[in-house]
Amino acid sequence: MNPLLTTCPVCGEALHVARLECDACHTTIEGRFALGRLGRLSREQLEFVELLVKNRGNINGVASDLKVAYNTARSRLDDIVATLGYGSPAEEVRPDRRAILDRLAAKEISVEEALRLLRA
């Protein structure tokens, strides 16, 4: 069986399901059926979600399975969150802890300034 396409290969817009068929009794139901939020995800994103569930929400475990860095796995999760319509992580103002600590180590900012930025 082929995987379910969720976007049109011609124009890239979302697809809907128009026909359902039972494998056992061959009953067919036709209409317009929404794919739901998960239907917005690409095949790669769905595979990531499956790994996330397998690893019980542990992003480090997903990163290990994918053989990528934690930050790469986290970025992919952020993309999935945005695709599902829950807001882009870029819209959230989160301090980049590593950058702040690097600036502190380079004596570009004071300890007090670093603490203030980390609390933001």
Side-chain angles (χ1 to χ4, degrees), residues 74-96:
R74 177 62 191 248
S75 176
R76 290 183 189 176
L77 179 59
D78 290 343
D79 290 342
I80 291 169
V81 169
T83 300
L84 291 175
Y86 292 115
S88 169
E91 295 170 3
E92 299 172 14
V93 179
R94 289 189 350 224
D96 182 351

Side-chain angles (χ1 to χ4, degrees), residues 1-118:
M1 196 177 297
N2 295 320
L4 180 64
L5 296 175
T6 59
T7 56
C8 176
V10 176
C11 70
E13 290 295 317
L15 295 173
H16 69 271
V17 177
R19 178 179 159 152
L20 301 169
E21 184 176 7
C22 175
D23 285 338
C25 71
H26 304 290
T27 296
T28 301
I29 303 169
E30 293 190 20
R32 287 182 58 94
F33 306 98
L35 296 171
R37 285 186 183 260
L38 293 179
R40 299 176 188 171
L41 301 179
S42 68
R43 183 176 312 151
E44 293 81 18
Q45 289 174 320
L46 286 170
E47 289 169 1
F48 184 96
V49 169
E50 187 175 337
L51 280 176
L52 189 63
V53 171
K54 173 189 161 234
N55 285 282
R56 292 172 171 76
N58 184 314
I59 298 175
N60 281 321
V62 174
S64 176
D65 285 355
L66 293 173
K67 296 177 178 48
V68 298
Y70 170 86
N71 289 341
T72 301
R74 177 62 191 248
S75 176
R76 290 183 189 176
L77 179 59
D78 290 343
D79 290 342
I80 291 169
V81 169
T83 300
L84 291 175
Y86 292 115
S88 169
E91 295 170 3
E92 299 172 14
V93 179
R94 289 189 350 224
D96 182 351
R97 296 175 57 85
R98 171 62 68 193
I100 294 168
L101 295 174
D102 288 344
R103 289 179 64 199
L104 178 62
K107 298 187 179 179
E108 294 175 9
I109 59 174
S110 68
V111 172
E112 293 78 18
E113 178 69 6
L115 288 172
R116 187 186 67 72
L117 291 170
L118 289 170

